[in-house]
Amino acid sequence: MQNPELPVVVIGAGPAGLAAAAQLHSREVPFLVLEAGEVAGAAVREWSHVRLFSPWSELIDPAAAELLENNGWTSPNRDRYPTGGTWADDYLQPLADALGDAVRFGTKVVGVAKRGRDRLVDSGREDEIFTVHVETAAGEELIAARAVIDASGTWTGPNPLGGDGLPALGERAAADRITYRIPDLTDPITRERYAGRHVVVAGTGASAKGALIGLVALAEEDPSTRISWLVRRASVGAAFEGSEDDELAERGALGRRAKEAVASGPVRTLNSFRTASVERSADGTLTLTSMDGQVLDGVDEVIALTGFRPDLSMLSEIRLDLDPVLDAPRQLAPLIDPNVHSCGTVYPHGAKELAQPESGFYLVGMKSYGRATSFLTLTGFEQTRSVVAEIAGDHESAARVELILPETGVCGGSGVFDDEAATGGGCCGATAEPELITLGTRASS
C-alpha cells in the first residue's frame, strides 16, 4: 500500500463509517473519521423516534463489538428492537468514544481529489495520494489520505414530491408545508402541526406506512384530521403484498398494521397520482395536481416519503464508475437494481464490486446503493469488512464475502410502471414497491 503512514479517511460517523473505523482499528491501520455533525450517528438521530426493523443482533458490527467490550461495554439484549435514538446513544456514540481522537466531529468534507491533479490528469495519478478538503469552525483544512471510504449516506438527499424525479412546479415555494421525513407525532409541537389538518402522504414504502399508521391514530383522537394518500401505482394493493412472508418480522408487521390502518381509518387513496404541480391557494392551503390531471385541493401539510439519492457533488474530481440508473458502483448495480431484483434480493458483495477507477476509493453503506432501496445494515458491515481487508492488503479475506440477508417478502421493483404492475414484473413476478427504509434499510425515513 502506498504511503502506509498516512491515514485512511472515512467520511461519516454513522453505522457504516464507524464499522469501517472499527475494522481499521482491528487491523492497526491508521485512520480518521470525519463527521459533519457534532455527535455520532447525527443522521440517525434525526429519526430517533423510529423503531428499527432489525434486532440488536443485526445492528452491531463484530469488530466494533470486540472493541467496545474491551472497553467495558455491555451489549444490549440481542433480541430487542431499538429506536434510532437508542441505537445512536447505546452503540454508535460509545463506539465513537472508544475510537477516540480518530473521530473528528464538526468536520464537513466538501471535496476529495488526487493531490495536484484534477479529474482530467492521467500522469502519475495512480500513485498520488488523496487530498480531502474539509470545513470546520476554525476554517478550511486539507487532509492527506492513503485511501478514502465514503460512508456519508443519503439522508441529506430525499427525493422530491414531483413524479418525474424533479421537484414539482411550486414544490420549492411550498417548502414550509412539505416535509420529507416521517414526523414524530409524539412530540407536542409536531402533533399540533398535523392534528385537525388535511395531511397528504406520498409514497408506499415503509416510511409512508409508518406515517399513515401514526396519522390514523392521530385522527382517532382528533376526528377533524383528514388523510390523503398519493400512490404512483395504479393500485395500492401491491404495497401490502408479502408482509406475511417477510423474514424481518417487524417489517412485515408494519405492513400489516398499515393495511389495517388504511382500511379502517379516514384515508382517501389516490392511485396513479404523480405530482406535477403544487399551488398555494388564496386561503393558504395547497392544491396538488397530478400529471394525468387529478386535482387534490384544501391540503394543509404534505409528507413526501419517496426515497433518497446520493449527493455526489463533493466527489466531482474523483473518477467514478457509476451505473447511469442507480448512481451505484457499476459492478454492484446489477445485483441490486429494483427493475430486475423486484423482491429486494441482495447478493453478497464486497471490495471487488465497490471498487472505483481511483484506486483506494470506495463507496460503502447507503451511499453505495445510490437510489436503490433495499439496503440493510448487515450489508454495510460486510462491505466495510471486505473493503478494509482490501486496503490492508489482505486480498484473500476481501474476496471471501459471506452474507445471508432476510428476504423482504415484498416484491415489485421501483421501475415497474402501471401496465406492468397489473401482470407482475421483475424476477419474482409480483408487484409491490420495495421498502424505502428499514432496518436497517434507510432506517426509516
Side-chain angles (χ1 to χ4, degrees):
M1 169 64 66
Q2 298 286 339
N3 301 287
E5 73 283 356
L6 291 178
V8 174
V9 164
V10 179
I11 305 174
L18 291 175
Q23 294 287 344
L24 289 161
H25 179 275
S26 71
R27 289 180 175 270
E28 299 183 348
V29 175
F31 66 92
L32 281 176
V33 179
L34 307 180
E35 167 58 46
E38 298 300 328
V39 291
V44 172
R45 294 174 189 277
E46 292 193 26
W47 46 269
S48 62
H49 58 292
V50 177
R51 190 167 301 282
L52 290 150
F53 294 146
S54 288
W56 272 112
S57 60
E58 298 177 5
L59 298 173
I60 300 172
D61 175 75
E66 182 177 357
L67 172 61
L68 285 165
E69 288 166 358
N70 289 339
N71 282 267
W73 176 79
T74 300
S75 176
N77 186 319
R78 292 173 55 84
D79 297 326
R80 292 188 176 178
Y81 296 80
T83 62
T86 302
W87 195 24
D89 288 339
D90 294 356
Y91 168 65
L92 297 177
Q93 192 61 54
L95 177 54
D97 294 341
L99 293 166
D101 294 339
V103 182
R104 294 180 51 181
F105 297 107
T107 305
K108 181 182 179 179
V109 176
V110 296
V112 182
K114 281 299 188 87
R115 183 174 60 181
R117 289 158 176 78
D118 65 24
R119 199 168 71 186
L120 295 178
V121 178
D122 285 335
S123 179
R125 188 177 196 89
E126 182 72 15
D127 296 325
E128 192 51 81
I129 65 172
F130 290 93
T131 54
V132 182
H133 297 240
V134 303
E135 294 178 351
T136 70
E140 297 177 306
E141 185 180 347
L142 205 61
I143 298 173
R146 62 191 277 194
V148 176
I149 300 174
D150 185 352
S152 57
T154 59
W155 180 252
T156 59
N159 287 330
L161 176 65
D164 58 5
L166 296 173
L169 295 177
E171 181 173 344
R172 293 189 182 94
D176 61 320
R177 310 292 284 281
I178 303 174
T179 184
Y180 302 88
R181 308 287 191 266
I182 183 170
D184 181 4
L185 295 177
T186 65
D187 174 68
I189 296 177
T190 303
R191 197 176 188 82
E192 184 178 357
R193 174 176 177 175
Y194 296 102
R197 307 292 199 276
H198 180 191
V199 185
V200 164
V201 176
T204 55
S207 293
K209 293 171 186 175
L212 287 168
I213 292 170
L215 289 169
V216 168
L218 180 62
E220 290 177 356
E221 297 182 10
D222 188 337
S224 63
T225 304
R226 293 186 294 146
I227 306 163
S228 294
W229 186 18
L230 307 186
V231 178
R232 291 176 179 174
R233 299 289 184 266
S235 170
V236 70
F240 300 117
E241 290 178 4
S243 295
E244 298 295 336
D245 302 320
D246 199 325
E247 292 184 10
L248 280 176
E250 290 301 305
R251 186 170 59 191
L254 177 68
R256 294 191 295 274
R257 291 197 301 271
K259 184 176 183 179
E260 293 169 1
V262 170
S264 63
V267 179
R268 175 190 178 190
T269 302
L270 291 87
N271 295 320
S272 299
F273 199 105
R274 299 181 180 89
T275 306
S277 66
V278 180
E279 298 180 51
R280 197 181 296 268
S281 303
D283 62 0
T285 63
L286 303 178
T287 297
L288 277 58
T289 303
S290 74
M291 293 177 179
D292 64 358
Q294 297 182 70
V295 177
L296 179 62
D297 57 15
V299 175
D300 296 300
E301 299 286 346
V302 178
I303 304 172
L305 302 169
T306 54
F308 293 82
R309 61 185 62 178
D311 180 359
L312 301 170
S313 59
M314 69 178 177
L315 306 179
S316 63
E317 296 308 315
I318 291 293
R319 292 180 176 180
L320 299 174
D321 185 19
L322 303 179
D323 178 77
V325 176
L326 299 184
D327 284 337
R330 191 178 296 273
Q331 291 193 64
L332 173 61
L335 306 181
I336 62 173
D337 188 344
N339 291 290
V340 179
H341 303 288
S342 62
C343 288
T345 303
V346 181
Y347 297 96
H349 62 275
K352 177 183 177 181
E353 292 78 14
L354 299 171
Q356 291 298 306
E358 301 284 20
S359 178
F361 181 88
Y362 297 90
L363 298 170
V364 302
M366 279 301 313
K367 196 164 186 177
S368 73
Y369 267 44
R371 297 194 188 193
T373 59
S374 55
F375 185 80
L376 295 173
T377 296
L378 283 174
T379 300
F381 292 161
E382 183 61 12
Q383 286 181 339
T384 57
R385 186 206 61 77
S386 176
V387 164
V388 169
E390 183 67 23
I391 291 173
D394 187 351
H395 307 302
E396 180 181 354
S397 180
R400 188 178 63 252
V401 181
E402 299 177 358
L403 181 65
I404 299 176
L405 294 172
E407 292 292 335
T408 176
V410 179
C411 298
S414 63
V416 176
F417 217 65
D418 286 346
D419 55 349
E420 299 170 278
T423 57
C427 65
C428 301
T431 60
E433 194 168 309
E435 301 301 326
L436 291 182
I437 66 171
T438 61
L439 318 59
T441 83
R442 314 193 167 224
S444 246
S445 195

